[in-house]
Structure formats: C-alpha cells, structure tokens
Amino acid sequence: MIWNEILCLGDSITFGARDEYMRSYPAELGMLLTNKTNECYVCHNCGISGETSSELLKRAWGNIKSHNNSRIMLLLIGTNDTKINTPTGVYEDNLRQIISMAKIHNMNVIVGTLPTLAFTPLYLSNTENIDKYNKSIYKLSKSIGFNVCDLSGLEKYYVDGVHFTHKGNIEIAKRFMEAILSI
C-alpha cells in the first residue's frame, strides 16, 4: 500500500471549530486525496483554536519534527493575529521561520491565504490586516519559495463570520488538494 502523510498547521480553521460533524479540512482532504489517487493519505491535524502565528511558531519545530515523514506541510494561520493587531512584519517573520523549519525537514510547503472575515464582533477591528497578511504571504512565496493556495471567496460557508460549515471545510480541502496535485 502506498501511503502519504501531510502535516496541517494552523488555528481553529485548521482544527475544524464549528463544523457540525466535528470534522475539519484536514479530515476532508485525506479522504479526497485517497479517493482521487487510490493511495492512502493521512493528514495530521495540528490546528489549535485561538492560536496566533507567534504561538504557532513556539510549537512548530516540535510538530514538524514529530511528523517528519510528511512530505507536505499546509499552513493556514493569521486570523487571530488580526484580532490582536499583530504587526505585519512580525506576522511575516513568524511565517518565514515556520516555513523554514518545514524546509529543513524537506517538506513542500503550501500556505493558504486568509479568507476575508464576515461581520463578527470579535474581529470587528483590524480586518484590513487580512489584506496585509495575504500580501505578505505572496511576497514571502516569491522570496523563500513555497506554493500559495487561494482561499478567497469562501464567505458563503461561514457559520459565524470566521469559522466554516462542513461544506466550507470540504471546499477548503478541495482547494488544498488542487494545490497539492499541482506540485
């Protein structure tokens, strides 16, 4: 049997918070890739709800090292950074360090852009950071070399303006699958 491992790092969006079936985009991605390729795909979900890019940076080495059989790392982080107004330079450096750790372990990296937030009281201010952070993702992709998965236009799948329904997680998984299969 051919099997593949994918490491998925992120916050509550990766974790799958609010999915009505307690699933997540990593769970859906494993199923979609297995069905598409007739190979077994295991997606390690290392998403933690409420986490910022700075907090993820603190645990990234351990997650990456403990999943070093993964040849692909997916990264989707930054929504909570908007809430605390993390400076763009700090966000960008956090990503650079996390991505560099994955590259040290010979992983192909795909970073998801941050979906536009809908109206939600917790994230009401600083929503302009989404555009700033997404520009940083594209800028970094050119300078240190990784793929980007465009996650724009997913607003119709929101449960609460931030988190996704089950159908939303399937759509995120489909987009990451396309990015993976294009490597």
Side-chain angles (χ1 to χ4, degrees):
M1 170 187 274
I2 297 172
W3 59 281
N4 306 278
E5 294 184 44
I6 297 172
L7 173 60
C8 303
L9 291 179
D11 53 26
S12 57
I13 295 172
T14 300
F15 180 76
R18 313 282 194 284
D19 182 296
E20 58 265 41
Y21 304 114
M22 306 300 196
R23 302 263 300 175
S24 61
Y25 89 76
E28 301 308 325
L29 179 61
M31 180 187 64
L32 290 171
L33 283 168
T34 297
N35 291 341
K36 176 89 173 171
T37 65
N38 291 318
E39 297 176 7
C40 180
Y41 275 84
V42 176
C43 294
H44 301 286
N45 187 339
C46 293
I48 294 182
S49 294
E51 195 164 62
T52 66
S53 63
S54 295
E55 292 165 319
L56 176 56
L57 175 61
K58 292 175 186 175
R59 70 177 175 91
W61 182 262
N63 284 137
I64 292 167
K65 188 173 181 183
S66 68
H67 295 95
N68 63 4
N69 286 331
S70 299
R71 296 292 56 138
I72 297 170
M73 182 186 83
L74 306 179
L75 179 61
L76 179 54
I77 191 77
T79 302
N80 296 306
D81 290 88
T82 65
K83 187 165 56 170
I84 65 165
N85 201 24
T86 300
T88 305
V90 171
Y91 174 77
E92 189 173 310
D93 188 63
N94 290 340
L95 290 187
R96 183 191 57 74
Q97 290 189 53
I98 294 165
I99 292 161
S100 295
M101 290 176 202
K103 288 179 162 235
I104 288 168
H105 286 87
N106 298 310
M107 293 181 185
N108 290 304
V109 177
I110 302 171
V111 178
T113 61
L114 301 175
T116 302
L117 297 172
F119 175 79
T120 177
L122 291 176
Y123 297 87
L124 202 49
S125 60
N126 310 321
T127 56
E128 71 280 352
N129 285 342
I130 295 290
D131 288 334
K132 292 176 186 176
Y133 296 165
N134 284 339
K135 286 177 184 170
S136 288
I137 290 169
Y138 281 107
K139 177 179 140 189
L140 269 177
S141 74
K142 289 177 177 56
S143 67
I144 63 174
F146 59 86
N147 294 325
V148 177
C149 179
D150 182 1
L151 296 177
S152 63
L154 296 173
E155 296 81 16
K156 68 181 179 181
Y157 298 109
Y158 280 137
V159 170
D160 57 7
V162 177
H163 302 98
F164 292 94
T165 63
H166 184 68
K167 287 181 181 178
N169 283 319
I170 292 170
E171 182 59 31
I172 292 169
K174 286 178 181 176
R175 292 191 189 187
F176 271 121
M177 180 177 72
E178 290 171 15
I180 290 166
L181 295 176
S182 71
I183 294 177

